[in-house]
Amino acid sequence: MPSLRSQVEARPSAALVELADADRRYPEGRTDERSLLRMRSFVNLNDIVAARLEAELFFRRFPASPWAGDVVQLTGVRPRPGPPWQR
């Protein structure tokens, strides 16, 4: 994962390919961090729309993730409140 983190900055397109591969190979492991790295890659490619869409998915899948603050800071997307009966 450390080499992948560095690729997000230096080679974001390559990082996206590796992240997709990691999602296939390790579907249960560290998926919230991979999602954040995917967002950072999109931002580094100036694809803010894709980063924000990934952030929306992130909050649906990982509402209690320790990376949530980083996602808000990076994309401006905040978690949406659930239905009234879940608040």
Side-chain angles (χ1 to χ4, degrees):
M1 198 74 128
S3 67
L4 188 53
R5 287 185 198 111
S6 64
Q7 273 198 351
V8 165
E9 301 299 322
R11 299 177 50 218
S13 294
L16 289 171
V17 171
E18 285 196 39
L19 287 162
D21 183 52
D23 286 341
R24 281 189 298 277
R25 291 180 22 206
Y26 311 106
E28 300 301 320
R30 302 176 84 170
T31 54
D32 58 341
E33 184 179 9
R34 286 197 304 260
S35 183
L36 175 62
L37 292 174
R38 190 173 295 107
M39 284 176 251
R40 287 184 177 155
S41 296
F42 285 136
V43 167
N44 288 333
L45 291 168
N46 293 317
D47 191 345
I48 306 308
V49 171
R52 291 177 64 87
L53 288 172
E54 182 70 25
E56 293 282 347
L57 292 171
F58 176 92
F59 283 120
R60 282 190 219 131
R61 293 178 64 203
F62 315 110
S65 172
W67 300 107
D70 294 290
V71 171
V72 171
Q73 185 176 16
L74 180 67
T75 66
V77 174
R78 297 185 177 281
R80 294 179 189 232
W85 61 87
Q86 291 181 348
R87 293 183 205 159

